[in-house]
Amino acid sequence: MSDSTGRKVTANISLTLDGRFNGPGGPGDLGAIVPYAITEVARNHLTRIHEHATTVLLGRRNAEGFLGFWPTVAEDDNADPRDRGYAKWLVDTEKVVLSTTLTEAPWSRARVVNAPTAEVLADLKADGEGDILINSSASVIKAALAADLLDRLHLIVCPEIAGGGERLFDDGLPASKWTLTHRDVGESGEMALIYDRVR
Protein backbone atom coordinates (compact mmCIF):
# COMPACT_ATOMS: atom_id res chain seq x y z
CA MET A 1 0.00 0.00 0.00
CA SER A 2 1.41 3.40 -0.91
CA ASP A 3 2.14 6.08 1.63
CA SER A 4 1.85 8.94 -0.84
CA THR A 5 -0.29 11.32 1.22
CA GLY A 6 2.50 12.27 3.63
CA ARG A 7 0.12 12.08 6.60
CA LYS A 8 1.97 12.08 9.92
CA VAL A 9 1.01 9.82 12.79
CA THR A 10 1.10 11.72 16.07
CA ALA A 11 0.25 10.70 19.62
CA ASN A 12 -0.62 12.45 22.85
CA ILE A 13 -0.34 11.07 26.38
CA SER A 14 0.47 12.17 29.93
CA LEU A 15 3.08 10.26 31.93
CA THR A 16 4.53 10.29 35.42
CA LEU A 17 8.27 10.62 36.01
CA ASP A 18 8.49 6.82 36.16
CA GLY A 19 6.88 6.56 32.72
CA ARG A 20 3.41 5.42 33.76
CA PHE A 21 0.07 6.50 32.33
CA ASN A 22 -1.86 5.29 35.37
CA GLY A 23 -1.11 4.43 38.97
CA PRO A 24 -1.01 1.11 40.85
CA GLY A 25 -4.82 1.13 41.18
CA GLY A 26 -5.29 0.43 37.46
CA PRO A 27 -6.75 2.37 34.51
CA GLY A 28 -8.83 4.69 36.69
CA ASP A 29 -5.93 5.60 38.98
CA LEU A 30 -4.91 8.95 37.52
CA GLY A 31 -4.14 10.75 40.78
CA ALA A 32 -0.58 11.58 39.70
CA ILE A 33 -1.75 12.97 36.34
CA VAL A 34 -5.11 14.74 36.75
CA PRO A 35 -3.81 17.72 38.80
CA TYR A 36 -1.61 18.71 35.86
CA ALA A 37 -4.32 18.44 33.19
CA ILE A 38 -5.76 21.88 33.88
CA THR A 39 -2.56 23.92 34.11
CA GLU A 40 -1.67 26.66 31.65
CA VAL A 41 1.03 24.44 30.15
CA ALA A 42 -1.40 21.53 29.68
CA ARG A 43 -4.12 23.71 28.17
CA ASN A 44 -1.71 25.27 25.68
CA HIS A 45 -0.46 21.75 24.90
CA LEU A 46 -4.07 20.68 24.22
CA THR A 47 -4.27 23.33 21.52
CA ARG A 48 -1.04 22.16 19.87
CA ILE A 49 -1.91 18.47 19.71
CA HIS A 50 -4.88 18.96 17.38
CA GLU A 51 -3.50 21.87 15.34
CA HIS A 52 -2.87 19.81 12.18
CA ALA A 53 -4.87 16.64 12.95
CA THR A 54 -7.90 15.69 10.87
CA THR A 55 -8.40 12.14 12.18
CA VAL A 56 -8.44 10.84 15.74
CA LEU A 57 -7.57 7.23 16.50
CA LEU A 58 -8.91 5.97 19.83
CA GLY A 59 -9.12 2.76 21.78
CA ARG A 60 -12.54 1.70 23.06
CA ARG A 61 -11.97 2.78 26.69
CA ASN A 62 -10.96 6.32 25.75
CA ALA A 63 -13.67 6.64 23.11
CA GLU A 64 -16.32 5.84 25.70
CA GLY A 65 -14.70 7.89 28.46
CA PHE A 66 -14.19 10.98 26.31
CA LEU A 67 -17.83 10.83 25.17
CA GLY A 68 -18.97 11.36 28.75
CA PHE A 69 -16.88 14.51 29.15
CA TRP A 70 -15.80 16.47 26.07
CA PRO A 71 -19.14 17.08 24.28
CA THR A 72 -20.43 18.92 27.36
CA VAL A 73 -17.26 21.06 27.40
CA ALA A 74 -17.85 21.91 23.72
CA GLU A 75 -21.25 23.37 24.66
CA ASP A 76 -20.10 25.16 27.83
CA ASP A 77 -19.75 28.90 27.25
CA ASN A 78 -17.90 29.20 30.57
CA ALA A 79 -15.24 26.61 29.74
CA ASP A 80 -11.65 27.70 29.13
CA PRO A 81 -11.47 28.66 25.42
CA ARG A 82 -8.61 26.20 24.87
CA ASP A 83 -10.58 23.34 26.42
CA ARG A 84 -13.64 24.31 24.42
CA GLY A 85 -11.66 24.58 21.17
CA TYR A 86 -10.22 21.11 21.68
CA ALA A 87 -13.62 19.70 22.66
CA LYS A 88 -15.32 21.15 19.56
CA TRP A 89 -12.54 19.80 17.37
CA LEU A 90 -12.87 16.34 18.97
CA VAL A 91 -16.63 16.30 18.48
CA ASP A 92 -16.45 17.49 14.86
CA THR A 93 -13.47 15.57 13.52
CA GLU A 94 -13.30 12.07 12.05
CA LYS A 95 -12.86 9.45 14.78
CA VAL A 96 -11.71 5.86 14.26
CA VAL A 97 -12.29 3.61 17.27
CA LEU A 98 -10.25 0.42 17.51
CA SER A 99 -12.27 -2.29 19.25
CA THR A 100 -12.85 -6.02 19.16
CA THR A 101 -16.10 -5.72 21.15
CA LEU A 102 -18.01 -2.61 20.00
CA THR A 103 -20.54 -3.12 17.24
CA GLU A 104 -21.44 0.52 16.75
CA ALA A 105 -19.52 3.74 17.26
CA PRO A 106 -20.14 5.55 20.55
CA TRP A 107 -19.76 8.98 18.86
CA SER A 108 -21.14 10.74 15.83
CA ARG A 109 -18.59 11.15 13.02
CA ALA A 110 -16.98 7.93 14.22
CA ARG A 111 -16.54 4.40 12.97
CA VAL A 112 -15.45 1.22 14.69
CA VAL A 113 -12.65 -0.86 13.20
CA ASN A 114 -11.66 -4.32 14.40
CA ALA A 115 -8.15 -4.61 12.94
CA PRO A 116 -4.52 -4.32 14.09
CA THR A 117 -3.28 -0.77 14.72
CA ALA A 118 -0.54 -0.98 12.07
CA GLU A 119 -3.05 -2.04 9.42
CA VAL A 120 -5.49 0.74 10.31
CA LEU A 121 -2.71 3.35 10.25
CA ALA A 122 -1.52 2.12 6.84
CA ASP A 123 -5.06 2.49 5.47
CA LEU A 124 -5.46 5.98 6.96
CA LYS A 125 -2.06 7.12 5.67
CA ALA A 126 -2.89 5.95 2.16
CA ASP A 127 -5.85 8.32 1.86
CA GLY A 128 -6.84 11.78 3.05
CA GLU A 129 -4.79 14.63 4.47
CA GLY A 130 -3.80 16.07 7.82
CA ASP A 131 -2.23 14.35 10.81
CA ILE A 132 -3.63 11.22 12.41
CA LEU A 133 -3.68 11.73 16.19
CA ILE A 134 -3.66 8.75 18.54
CA ASN A 135 -5.30 10.54 21.42
CA SER A 136 -4.27 9.32 24.90
CA SER A 137 -5.02 5.68 24.02
CA ALA A 138 -2.00 3.89 25.46
CA SER A 139 -2.68 0.49 23.88
CA VAL A 140 -2.88 2.09 20.42
CA ILE A 141 0.24 4.22 21.03
CA LYS A 142 2.13 1.12 22.20
CA ALA A 143 1.18 -0.76 19.02
CA ALA A 144 2.27 2.20 16.86
CA LEU A 145 5.60 2.39 18.73
CA ALA A 146 6.12 -1.36 18.33
CA ALA A 147 5.61 -1.02 14.56
CA ASP A 148 7.72 2.19 14.44
CA LEU A 149 4.84 4.12 12.86
CA LEU A 150 4.85 7.16 15.14
CA ASP A 151 6.19 10.42 13.67
CA ARG A 152 5.52 12.78 16.59
CA LEU A 153 4.97 12.29 20.31
CA HIS A 154 3.24 14.93 22.44
CA LEU A 155 3.94 14.30 26.12
CA ILE A 156 2.91 15.90 29.37
CA VAL A 157 5.40 14.74 31.99
CA CYS A 158 3.96 15.08 35.49
CA PRO A 159 6.41 15.64 38.38
CA GLU A 160 5.29 12.62 40.40
CA ILE A 161 6.41 9.04 40.73
CA ALA A 162 3.42 6.71 40.65
CA GLY A 163 5.38 3.75 41.95
CA GLY A 164 3.20 1.28 40.08
CA GLY A 165 0.81 1.06 37.17
CA GLU A 166 1.19 0.60 33.45
CA ARG A 167 4.22 1.92 31.57
CA LEU A 168 4.08 3.35 28.06
CA PHE A 169 7.54 2.25 26.96
CA ASP A 170 7.68 -1.52 27.28
CA ASP A 171 10.85 -3.55 26.89
CA GLY A 172 11.31 -4.91 23.37
CA LEU A 173 10.35 -1.78 21.42
CA PRO A 174 12.47 -1.15 18.33
CA ALA A 175 15.27 1.32 19.05
CA SER A 176 14.57 4.79 17.69
CA LYS A 177 15.93 8.34 17.85
CA TRP A 178 13.83 11.44 18.54
CA THR A 179 14.42 15.20 18.40
CA LEU A 180 12.91 17.55 20.99
CA THR A 181 11.07 20.22 18.97
CA HIS A 182 9.08 21.95 21.74
CA ARG A 183 9.36 22.29 25.52
CA ASP A 184 7.19 24.19 27.97
CA VAL A 185 7.63 23.98 31.75
CA GLY A 186 4.82 24.80 34.15
CA GLU A 187 4.87 26.38 37.58
CA SER A 188 4.32 23.01 39.28
CA GLY A 189 7.13 21.36 37.35
CA GLU A 190 5.01 19.69 34.71
CA MET A 191 6.51 19.68 31.22
CA ALA A 192 4.85 19.72 27.81
CA LEU A 193 7.21 18.13 25.30
CA ILE A 194 7.04 17.41 21.58
CA TYR A 195 9.41 14.81 20.14
CA ASP A 196 9.71 14.17 16.42
CA ARG A 197 10.96 10.84 15.11
CA VAL A 198 14.32 11.01 13.33
CA ARG A 199 14.24 8.80 10.24
Side-chain angles (χ1 to χ4, degrees):
M1 186 163 294
S2 74
D3 179 18
S4 59
T5 62
R7 300 188 80 181
K8 285 185 178 172
V9 179
T10 68
N12 167 56
I13 197 162
S14 295
L15 299 174
T16 58
L17 283 179
D18 50 343
R20 303 176 195 275
F21 54 88
N22 59 39
D29 184 356
L30 302 174
I33 289 172
V34 167
Y36 307 97
I38 55 171
T39 64
E40 287 297 299
V41 161
R43 285 189 157 129
N44 291 335
H45 182 75
L46 205 56
T47 301
R48 280 190 298 275
I49 67 169
H50 71 88
E51 195 172 23
H52 303 292
T54 55
T55 302
V56 182
L57 194 54
L58 295 164
R60 176 194 59 80
R61 187 183 296 146
N62 271 18
E64 291 177 334
F66 286 0
L67 181 60
F69 181 73
W70 288 111
T72 56
V73 176
E75 300 300 322
D76 183 359
D77 291 337
N78 297 315
D80 184 285
R82 294 162 294 185
D83 293 356
R84 195 165 183 213
Y86 168 79
K88 284 183 170 181
W89 168 81
L90 189 58
V91 168
D92 292 342
T93 203
E94 173 193 29
K95 290 167 285 293
V96 178
V97 181
L98 295 181
S99 176
T100 57
T101 56
L102 286 179
T103 52
E104 56 184 63
W107 289 68
S108 61
R109 294 183 189 80
R111 59 190 168 96
V112 175
V113 178
N114 181 358
T117 298
E119 190 178 302
V120 173
L121 285 171
D123 288 346
L124 289 170
K125 286 187 76 165
D127 190 33
E129 57 187 33
D131 292 350
I132 302 155
L133 171 66
I134 306 172
N135 200 1
S136 297
S137 296
S139 62
V140 184
I141 296 171
K142 284 182 175 205
L145 284 167
D148 195 15
L149 293 173
L150 216 51
D151 301 304
R152 172 170 282 182
L153 189 53
H154 297 265
L155 294 175
I156 293 280
V157 178
C158 305
E160 297 195 22
I161 292 172
E166 296 176 88
R167 293 183 190 275
L168 180 66
F169 302 109
D170 293 327
D171 286 347
L173 288 174
S176 56
K177 185 176 180 181
W178 300 76
T179 299
L180 181 66
T181 55
H182 181 88
R183 178 184 62 205
D184 198 2
V185 182
E187 291 180 5
S188 300
E190 74 281 10
M191 288 190 294
L193 306 170
I194 299 176
Y195 282 100
D196 283 343
R197 177 75 171 93
V198 178
R199 298 194 186 277

